[in-house]
Amino acid sequence: MMKAIISLLVLLLVGCSSGLQITVPDSVYENNQSIGYLVGTLGANTEWPKTGKNLITTINIRPLNTNKPRIGDGNIITISNNNEDGHFEGSTISGHLFNIELPVGQYEIFSIQLEGSDGNKTLISKNNSKMDITFSISANQASYIGQFLAVSRIAKSELWNLEYPSGYGYLQHSYDQQRDETLFSLEYPKQQATPFHLELLTFNDNRVLKN
């Protein structure tokens, strides 16, 4: 019963924006664990022809330093976005703020997937190797991991001599702490006093995630 209540609270913390979907399995939680918050934004570049608005993006996260087995992927936290109904939208970017209540500890981003289309078939972009992107969740603190913006890889039309989104893509990572901290305060006014901590993610550019 307690796990079901916690899962409901997680969905409430995520918010009601229809473009953003977040799942946190019951197995992530245990009794009497201290809680913190994972905060960031998942969105898209909106500039033609690199716009990632047509991509469905998914970030998969799991806890580290745990005795729970990884077999069956039972402890995977998933953040997915179809880039509709964002919390912010401008001439160059759009996105959703996510705020996920999680137990204190170490976590890793271990896989990323982007799904798109070239107009004829569905195309998938995903990492082929280990990502090794880690961050910490601390008690009663918002751990801010930055913004992830979907960008379409470009194809060139031989027929029309123009560039267009190919259906493949990647996420561009950066930080906009001032904007996202303001969004956090507006979307979650009861958490305004929660300390905001910048988590610096370290990784090498790869086929699905770039600095």
Side-chain angles (χ1 to χ4, degrees), residues 169-184:
Y170 61 92
L171 290 180
Q172 189 85 47
H173 178 260
S174 60
Y175 297 94
D176 194 331
Q177 185 170 347
Q178 183 176 0
R179 180 201 66 203
D180 292 340
E181 194 165 357
T182 300
L183 270 175
F184 181 81

Side-chain angles (χ1 to χ4, degrees), residues 87-101:
H87 290 116
F88 60 91
E89 180 151 8
S91 59
T92 59
I93 62 173
S94 66
H96 291 86
L97 179 78
F98 57 82
N99 174 25
I100 312 171
E101 186 176 284

Side-chain angles (χ1 to χ4, degrees), residues 21 24 31 71 165 169 211:
Q21 301 294 326
V24 184
N31 293 331
I71 297 173
N211 284 299

Side-chain angles (χ1 to χ4, degrees), residues 134-153:
T134 61
F135 59 89
S136 298
I137 299 293
S138 300
N140 303 312
Q141 178 174 283
S143 296
Y144 173 64
I145 60 172
Q147 69 174 7
F148 299 82
L149 300 176
V151 181
S152 288
R153 296 187 184 277

